[in-house]
Amino acid sequence: MASFALGSSSSSKITPWIFIFPLFLLTILPSISASTCSSQKFSMNKNFEFCNDLPQLSSYLHWSYDSSKSSLNLAFVATPPKPTGWISWAINPTSTGMIGSQSLIAFRQSNGQMIVKTFNITGYGPISPSEIAFEVSNMVGEYSGGEMRIFATMILPKNMTTINQVWQVGSSVEGEIPQKHAFGPANLNSKGTLDLLKGESSSSSSGGGSNSRLRDRNIHGVLNAVGWGILMPIGAIIARYLRTFESADPAWFYLHVGCQVSAYAVGLAGWITGLKLGGKSVGVRYTAHRNIGIALFSLATLQVFSALLLRPNKDHKFRRYWNYYHHSVGFTVIILSVINIFKGFNILEPEMKWKTAYASVIIVLGVIAALLEVITWIVVLRRRKSANRTKL
Ligand SMILES: *[C@@H]1O[C@H](CO)[C@@H](O)[C@H](O)[C@H]1NC(C)=O
């Protein structure tokens, strides 16, 4: 039975914002997390393991890489400046720019049909179709509403898992030959490296490619660090130390519940992103991180629901045992969370500053808790003394 009764003192209802805030967070989070490419769908059940929003020319790359066959299955999506133009995606095995790039170029033929051809780009002059350094199959072009797509399968040399990619768009094709593209900053910076196995890309220009897998991992990290690793300890500090001050009753209780319900909601979102990542990461298992995550989530779920639904009244004879239970489960969840967040840092290997920032937050919270612990003891001891005095 639901009982939000505040012990013997009052039986006010928990104000709705306690639930509205986490709901609000849950509704805005998916919109932050969506990369453009991950919402792009293809016909005929074409699915790819990775996708990148490329940093220039509003272009997108989707791919799966099979290392046993060293085969790269890809889709490149871009919008040429004109419907009569062309789009191109290339690997440059010898250099980083256009010269030397082994290119796939797609355009519409005079009959309106899309075609994809391979070009060995050897200079800045006019180009012509030719063999390229890789075996290419399943070349298909698509056109819809101004947007063009290239699908292809390439067999790469063994162990060529980090590639130099180059992409481009142009506005005209004459006699089935793509004509030169514009030379704006975006056209000149549309290149970078791509790790086919990890999905991480970098670009010579600022910004870099935003990558679906890396972004999901970062979101997973931020949600869990904020939910489990920051909000939840703050909620515990509120409960333990604000309660000492009689004037803070029952405000501390609402703050505590609000903080922990929000922490749980954000942490739940983080936990779900973790499940998603775990499902996608075939072959690589982070057993300890995963098991700790499952354990702490189970304990936290027990904690939140038992606290909301089963908490005995303040005067109940079991209340003391309830408090031991509630405090030890809460403490365990927080310790497991902090451990797992640091394990996560070791997996994700973000820039050092993030680990330092989180460690600083934890140290600051720890210092605050230690100070408040001392203050609480002083207050409690003084109170006992004066209580004794009045007794005498
Ligand atoms: C591409 O062109 C360069 C320069 O002419 C040549 O050395 C290379 O063999 C060509 N590659 C293929 C696959 O034809």
Side-chain angles (χ1 to χ4, degrees):
M1 220 200 67
S3 112
F4 294 128
L6 251 188
S8 51
S9 54
S10 101
S11 59
S12 14
K13 294 252 156 51
I14 289 182
T15 38
W17 63 263
I18 285 174
F19 297 100
I20 289 167
F21 179 64
L23 280 180
F24 166 75
L25 280 177
L26 282 180
T27 45
I28 61 162
L29 285 170
S31 57
I32 302 170
S33 64
S35 52
T36 308
C37 69
S38 51
S39 63
Q40 291 173 335
K41 296 277 173 282
F42 301 109
S43 55
M44 297 190 294
N45 296 327
K46 289 193 190 84
N47 280 315
F48 300 91
E49 191 184 353
F50 296 99
C51 77
N52 268 2
D53 291 3
L54 299 176
Q56 307 290 345
L57 301 171
S58 306
S59 304
Y60 309 92
L61 184 72
H62 301 250
W63 79 98
S64 301
Y65 179 73
D66 180 343
S67 41
S68 67
K69 298 179 202 149
S70 62
S71 97
L72 173 66
N73 197 12
L74 70 97
F76 173 70
V77 180
T79 303
K82 290 183 188 160
T84 51
W86 54 268
I87 66 167
S88 163
W89 186 82
I91 294 177
N92 192 332
T94 51
S95 173
T96 56
M98 168 180 149
I99 305 299
S101 65
Q102 308 296 299
S103 311
L104 305 171
I105 306 188
F107 53 87
R108 289 203 294 175
Q109 296 167 287
S110 40
N111 64 6
Q113 294 278 314
M114 284 290 291
I115 189 163
V116 183
K117 290 184 174 178
T118 57
F119 292 75
N120 176 12
I121 310 290
T122 56
Y124 289 104
I127 56 171
S128 56
S130 64
E131 297 273 289
I132 60 170
F134 314 116
E135 185 190 323
V136 189
S137 56
N138 305 326
M139 281 193 292
V140 175
E142 278 182 9
Y143 177 89
S144 131
E147 184 183 272
M148 291 183 178
R149 296 179 210 108
I150 296 175
F151 299 94
T153 304
M154 280 179 157
I155 306 296
L156 303 181
K158 276 257 172 270
N159 302 323
M160 188 172 152
T161 57
T162 299
I163 57 168
N164 295 318
Q165 62 171 341
V166 189
W167 63 100
Q168 197 54 264
V169 297
S171 58
S172 70
V173 175
E174 272 166 36
E176 310 258 296
I177 298 296
Q179 303 296 299
K180 74 175 194 290
H181 57 80
F183 283 83
N187 302 88
L188 299 177
N189 286 317
S190 51
K191 58 189 179 184
T193 59
L194 180 67
D195 186 326
L196 296 173
L197 296 175
K198 290 192 196 149
E200 285 158 21
S201 74
S202 66
S203 160
S204 45
S205 65
S206 62
S210 56
N211 156 274
S212 53
R213 171 77 66 98
L214 187 62
R215 192 183 295 193
D216 286 352
R217 286 175 151 210
N218 287 340
I219 288 167
H220 170 72
V222 170
L223 288 176
N224 285 314
V226 170
W228 304 114
I230 297 176
L231 284 177
M232 206 155 268
I234 290 177
I237 289 174
I238 289 172
R240 182 160 175 82
Y241 303 111
L242 274 190
R243 196 164 31 170
T244 320
F245 306 100
E246 272 144 14
S247 55
D249 195 25
W252 73 264
F253 177 79
Y254 292 124
L255 280 172
H256 174 64
V257 176
C259 199
Q260 303 311 54
V261 171
S262 307
Y264 184 75
V266 175
L268 175 66
W271 195 72
I272 291 170
T273 58
L275 287 185
K276 248 176 72 183
L277 287 171
K280 274 192 201 164
S281 129
V282 184
V284 189
R285 286 258 150 74
Y286 304 103
T287 317
H289 184 67
R290 176 173 168 272
N291 291 348
I292 295 175
I294 291 171
L296 83 86
F297 179 73
S298 311
L299 284 175
T301 304
L302 176 73
Q303 180 81 328
V304 167
F305 287 96
S306 64
L308 289 178
L309 304 176
L310 301 173
R311 184 171 42 90
N313 218 291
K314 243 183 194 170
D315 312 319
H316 199 283
K317 59 179 173 180
F318 290 143
R319 177 67 181 218
R320 196 142 64 99
Y321 305 106
W322 160 266
N323 282 348
Y324 291 142
Y325 152 82
H326 187 68
H327 297 165
S328 47
V329 172
F331 191 71
T332 311
V333 169
I334 288 171
I335 295 297
L336 288 179
S337 300
V338 172
I339 292 174
N340 222 23
I341 286 163
F342 281 103
K343 284 208 174 292
F345 276 125
N346 292 340
I347 293 168
L348 190 52
E349 292 178 342
E351 282 176 62
M352 198 56 202
K353 64 178 180 193
W354 295 110
K355 204 168 167 177
T356 314
Y358 181 69
S360 317
V361 170
I362 286 303
I363 290 168
V364 168
L365 287 178
V367 169
I368 291 176
L371 284 177
L372 289 173
E373 188 74 37
V374 172
I375 295 173
T376 305
W377 276 105
I378 293 173
V379 171
V380 169
L381 291 178
R382 274 206 190 136
R383 253 184 226 158
R384 271 189 207 160
K385 236 188 212 166
S386 60
N388 284 344
R389 231 178 260 142
T390 33
K391 256 188 225 161
L392 291 171

